[in-house]
Amino acid sequence: MDMNQYAQMIRQLKTPQIMKQLTHLYGQRDGMLVEQTARYTRLLKRHEELVDTRGGVRMISAPGRTEIGGNHTDHNQGKVLAAAVNLDTVAAVTPRDDGVVRIHSEGYAPLQLSLDDLSAREDERGTTAALVRGVAAKLKEEGHPVGGFDAVMTSTVTSGSGLSSSAAVEVLLCAIFDELYGDGKLDAIKRAKIAQYAENAYFGKPSGLMDQMASSVGSLVFIDFKEDEPEVREVQYDFAAKGYALVVVNTGGSHDDLTADYAAIPQEMRAVAACFGEQSLRRVQPERFMQALPLIRERLQGQHADRAIMRAAHYFAENRRVADEVAALKRDDLPDFLRLVIQSGRSSFCYLQNIFATTENQELSLALMLAESKLSAVGGAWRVHGGGFAGTTLNFVPKKHLNGFVRDMEAVFGAHSCNVLDIRPVGPACIVLG
């Protein structure tokens, strides 16, 4: 492609049609169009430097996600309330005809691999290469076409942000293969399952399906994982119009070496379910669970029995809370919704026990304490966000207190530790240029 074609594509970014698409993806905050146009322009210029191609370029974006309710319920067929957000991973993509995938991702070493070998590799666990192979392998297994591509990527869903950077990349990879070779026919639920498979079987992280589903579906959604095909329902609610901002605070805690702590939660919940001859807690009646506590303690001796019981109790209460949160939003009872958010956070702290892994690192505890001191008297809410043990909190902050909240939190946790979010109405999206 000659330089004039790239210049033409950059000019296209400023056309009314493309600006409308960008507004749909990123919201209407002051300066958003300038910021995103500049970001997409930089990506195109980097594509021009790194990729020798002919024809147009597809700009494909997949969002991060925020967990609103349902902390650690998805892996036991529970209920969640989640949303895609206006931070995303975006790639400038062109197809290749040799079955090779090349990825240049900002801040990372270049990646190149052949799709001739799609087997899982132990030495690739925890890497983007594992996700590429895993997504391609599952697509191919299920009869979807795959092929090579060049991608130049950048992301505002940074690692450790608590907004699920891995799910955004997985969903993006699904969308790239689908846009280039599948005519965009992959439905959102199937895309999420393929993304989760890559994370579980190839990347090596035993996650539930919530992260991938929220990124793949988009908007604010209630998801019930009770069956193989989850029930997904959009929830219409505009927190910004009600005077609230969603703020995720990154406390700076590291997720390194915490895989065992994350894995213990679903394992212990399933151990309780096994006491009733079931594979997940969703198939256990909460009343039977409470009546059987002596039996569960006896059967789980030496297997963190008491912690497993409390984690199961959190699961049952959290499932009810998610349904109550959705009902509160439907009747426009925001105070009751915020009360339930606070309850959810306290249950995670007391019973799920995913706020800290060691007593030496309690950044999340500190962030929750600070949020309570600043938001309890002004009608806000706060809770752990996502997996826990390290990372982030989610806060509902009245807009008139937003600047002060961000200032005070960043004084403790550092500049740019607060992400003020908008809910994104769609999952992955493609803008075709050229």
Side-chain angles (χ1 to χ4, degrees), residues 4 9 25 39 56 69 78 107 119 152-153 174 182 195 204 265 267 269 294 312 338 348 368 393-394 406 422:
N4 288 334
M9 288 191 292
L25 296 180
R39 181 180 177 225
S119 58
V152 181
M153 295 168 54
C174 287
I265 294 177
Q267 289 167 359
M269 288 184 180
L338 295 174
S348 292
L368 292 168
T393 64
L394 173 66
V406 170
D422 289 320

Side-chain angles (χ1 to χ4, degrees), residues 105-223:
S105 187
E106 189 175 33
Y108 296 88
L111 161 67
Q112 179 170 320
L113 60 84
S114 171
L115 298 178
D116 291 340
D117 179 8
L118 297 180
S119 58
R121 299 186 178 187
E122 191 64 31
D123 62 344
E124 286 184 349
R125 291 173 81 83
T127 70
T128 302
L131 297 179
V132 175
R133 287 192 208 276
V135 166
K138 194 64 173 174
L139 282 167
K140 191 172 182 179
E141 177 187 317
E142 299 195 358
H144 300 284
V146 297
F149 60 84
D150 284 299
V152 181
M153 295 168 54
T154 187
S155 184
T156 51
V157 191
T158 55
S159 179
S161 67
L163 301 170
S164 200
S165 57
S166 59
V169 172
E170 294 150 13
V171 170
L172 176 66
L173 290 169
C174 287
I176 289 172
F177 283 120
D178 191 34
E179 287 290 340
L180 296 183
Y181 300 104
D183 297 325
K185 295 179 180 178
L186 202 63
D187 71 78
I189 293 176
K190 177 67 71 176
R191 183 169 54 224
K193 287 184 173 182
I194 290 169
Q196 183 205 21
Y197 171 83
E199 181 158 306
N200 292 171
Y202 279 66
F203 191 81
K205 183 178 178 182
S207 70
L209 187 57
M210 188 270 288
D211 293 349
Q212 294 82 1
M213 190 70 78
S215 178
S216 185
V217 173
S219 73
L220 175 64
V221 289
F222 163 79
I223 309 171

Side-chain angles (χ1 to χ4, degrees), residues 13 17-43 58-64 84-92 152-157 168 172 219 240 420-431 433:
L13 292 173
Q17 179 185 0
I18 301 299
M19 288 194 291
K20 183 178 179 180
Q21 288 181 269
L22 294 175
T23 300
H24 188 58
L25 296 180
Y26 300 105
Q28 299 184 8
R29 292 177 185 271
D30 290 344
M32 180 283 299
L33 278 174
V34 173
E35 176 186 338
Q36 293 301 331
T37 300
R39 181 180 177 225
Y40 276 58
T41 297
R42 288 194 301 271
L43 200 57
R58 302 187 194 207
M59 310 294 284
I60 304 177
S61 156
V85 298
N86 59 321
L87 302 181
D88 69 339
T89 300
V90 62
V152 181
M153 295 168 54
T154 187
S155 184
T156 51
V157 191
L172 176 66
S219 73
V420 182
L421 304 175
D422 289 320
I423 292 175
R424 169 164 155 160
V426 295
C430 179
I431 296 174
L433 299 173

Side-chain angles (χ1 to χ4, degrees), residues 34-35 50 73 84 90 92-94 104 110 120 124 151 154 165 178 211-212 236 239 248 264 301 326 331:
V34 173
E35 176 186 338
L50 296 171
T73 56
V90 62
V93 183
T94 51
H104 298 270
E124 286 184 349
T154 187
S165 57
D178 191 34
D211 293 349
Q212 294 82 1
Q236 297 285 347
F239 293 105
V248 169
Q301 284 183 7
V326 172
R331 65 175 184 270

Side-chain angles (χ1 to χ4, degrees), residues 247-250 405-410 414-420:
V247 183
V248 169
V249 178
N250 185 352
F405 180 84
V406 170
R407 180 194 65 232
D408 292 345
M409 287 304 221
E410 292 194 343
H416 312 299
S417 57
C418 291
N419 274 315
V420 182

Side-chain angles (χ1 to χ4, degrees), residues 340-357:
L340 291 164
V341 169
I342 295 169
Q343 276 190 5
S344 171
R346 286 177 175 160
S347 180
S348 292
F349 209 145
C350 295
Y351 306 122
L352 185 62
Q353 299 182 36
N354 69 328
I355 305 303
F356 56 87

Side-chain angles (χ1 to χ4, degrees), residues 237 325 327-339:
Y237 203 82
E325 287 172 349
L329 293 178
K330 284 187 174 181
R331 65 175 184 270
D332 196 19
D333 189 345
L334 188 57
D336 191 46
F337 170 81
L338 295 174
R339 177 186 64 82

